[in-house]
Short mmCIF file of all heavy atoms in Angstrom, two decimals:
data_model
loop_
_atom_site.label_atom_id
_atom_site.label_comp_id
_atom_site.label_asym_id
_atom_site.label_seq_id
_atom_site.Cartn_x
_atom_site.Cartn_y
_atom_site.Cartn_z
N HIS A 114 6.06 3.67 -28.00
CA HIS A 114 7.12 4.51 -27.56
C HIS A 114 8.14 3.77 -26.66
O HIS A 114 9.35 3.99 -26.70
CB HIS A 114 6.57 5.64 -26.69
CG HIS A 114 5.70 6.57 -27.71
ND1 HIS A 114 4.30 6.52 -27.76
CD2 HIS A 114 6.11 7.72 -28.32
CE1 HIS A 114 3.93 7.56 -28.64
NE2 HIS A 114 5.03 8.20 -28.98
N LEU A 115 7.62 2.83 -25.88
CA LEU A 115 8.56 2.08 -25.02
C LEU A 115 9.54 1.33 -25.84
O LEU A 115 10.63 1.09 -25.62
CB LEU A 115 7.81 1.19 -24.04
CG LEU A 115 6.92 1.83 -22.93
CD1 LEU A 115 6.12 0.85 -22.22
CD2 LEU A 115 7.93 2.61 -21.88
N ASP A 116 8.93 0.64 -26.95
CA ASP A 116 9.75 -0.16 -27.88
C ASP A 116 10.85 0.65 -28.60
O ASP A 116 11.84 0.08 -29.08
CB ASP A 116 8.86 -0.89 -28.84
CG ASP A 116 8.14 -1.99 -28.24
OD1 ASP A 116 8.43 -2.40 -27.04
OD2 ASP A 116 7.16 -2.53 -28.83
N ALA A 117 10.54 2.03 -28.77
CA ALA A 117 11.49 2.80 -29.39
C ALA A 117 12.78 3.06 -28.73
O ALA A 117 13.76 3.44 -29.27
CB ALA A 117 10.79 4.14 -29.80
N LEU A 118 12.69 2.89 -27.36
CA LEU A 118 13.89 3.15 -26.47
C LEU A 118 14.82 2.01 -26.54
O LEU A 118 14.51 0.89 -26.67
CB LEU A 118 13.36 3.54 -25.06
CG LEU A 118 12.63 4.82 -24.91
CD1 LEU A 118 11.61 4.77 -23.76
CD2 LEU A 118 13.56 6.01 -24.80
N GLU A 119 16.11 2.38 -26.18
CA GLU A 119 17.06 1.33 -26.15
C GLU A 119 16.94 0.56 -24.85
O GLU A 119 17.12 -0.65 -24.73
CB GLU A 119 18.48 1.95 -26.28
CG GLU A 119 19.47 1.20 -27.04
CD GLU A 119 20.74 2.02 -27.27
OE1 GLU A 119 20.75 3.24 -26.88
OE2 GLU A 119 21.63 1.29 -27.71
N GLU A 120 16.65 1.30 -23.79
CA GLU A 120 16.49 0.69 -22.46
C GLU A 120 15.41 1.23 -21.72
O GLU A 120 15.16 2.51 -21.71
CB GLU A 120 17.72 0.98 -21.56
CG GLU A 120 19.07 0.18 -22.02
CD GLU A 120 20.18 0.55 -21.08
OE1 GLU A 120 19.99 0.67 -19.81
OE2 GLU A 120 21.34 0.75 -21.67
N VAL A 121 14.68 0.36 -21.03
CA VAL A 121 13.47 0.90 -20.14
C VAL A 121 13.66 0.11 -18.81
O VAL A 121 13.86 -1.02 -18.73
CB VAL A 121 12.16 0.36 -20.77
CG1 VAL A 121 11.05 0.76 -19.86
CG2 VAL A 121 11.92 1.07 -22.14
N HIS A 122 13.73 0.90 -17.69
CA HIS A 122 13.86 0.39 -16.39
C HIS A 122 12.82 0.91 -15.40
O HIS A 122 12.35 2.05 -15.51
CB HIS A 122 15.26 0.82 -15.72
CG HIS A 122 16.44 0.50 -16.67
ND1 HIS A 122 16.88 -0.83 -16.61
CD2 HIS A 122 17.19 1.03 -17.53
CE1 HIS A 122 17.99 -0.90 -17.39
NE2 HIS A 122 18.04 0.19 -18.01
N ALA A 123 12.27 -0.01 -14.63
CA ALA A 123 11.35 0.31 -13.59
C ALA A 123 11.94 -0.11 -12.24
O ALA A 123 11.58 -1.11 -11.66
CB ALA A 123 10.00 -0.28 -13.80
N PRO A 124 12.95 0.64 -11.73
CA PRO A 124 13.74 0.17 -10.64
C PRO A 124 13.19 0.25 -9.25
O PRO A 124 12.14 0.94 -9.04
CB PRO A 124 15.05 1.05 -10.70
CG PRO A 124 14.51 2.31 -11.27
CD PRO A 124 13.30 1.94 -12.17
N ASN A 125 13.87 -0.25 -8.35
CA ASN A 125 13.56 -0.10 -6.86
C ASN A 125 14.51 0.77 -6.21
O ASN A 125 15.56 0.96 -6.67
CB ASN A 125 13.62 -1.53 -6.21
CG ASN A 125 12.64 -2.51 -6.76
OD1 ASN A 125 11.39 -2.20 -6.76
ND2 ASN A 125 13.04 -3.57 -7.18
N PRO A 126 14.13 1.34 -5.16
CA PRO A 126 15.11 2.08 -4.35
C PRO A 126 16.34 1.36 -4.00
O PRO A 126 16.29 0.22 -3.72
CB PRO A 126 14.34 2.47 -3.05
CG PRO A 126 12.93 2.47 -3.42
CD PRO A 126 12.76 1.32 -4.50
N GLY A 127 17.52 1.95 -4.15
CA GLY A 127 18.73 1.29 -3.93
C GLY A 127 19.44 0.93 -5.27
O GLY A 127 20.61 0.62 -5.25
N ASP A 128 18.60 0.71 -6.31
CA ASP A 128 19.17 0.35 -7.63
C ASP A 128 20.05 1.45 -8.07
O ASP A 128 19.84 2.58 -7.81
CB ASP A 128 18.05 -0.01 -8.63
CG ASP A 128 17.33 -1.30 -8.29
OD1 ASP A 128 17.80 -2.09 -7.40
OD2 ASP A 128 16.36 -1.55 -8.95
N ARG A 129 21.05 1.04 -8.87
CA ARG A 129 22.03 2.05 -9.32
C ARG A 129 22.19 1.91 -10.94
O ARG A 129 22.20 0.89 -11.47
CB ARG A 129 23.51 1.72 -8.72
CG ARG A 129 23.59 2.03 -7.25
CD ARG A 129 24.79 1.51 -6.61
NE ARG A 129 24.76 1.82 -5.18
CZ ARG A 129 25.57 2.76 -4.76
NH1 ARG A 129 26.41 3.35 -5.37
NH2 ARG A 129 25.46 3.06 -3.36
#
Side-chain angles (χ1 to χ4, degrees):
H114 292 94
L115 290 172
D116 287 348
L118 290 155
E119 220 173 349
E120 289 180 39
V121 175
H122 302 279
N125 293 307
D128 289 352
R129 287 165 182 257

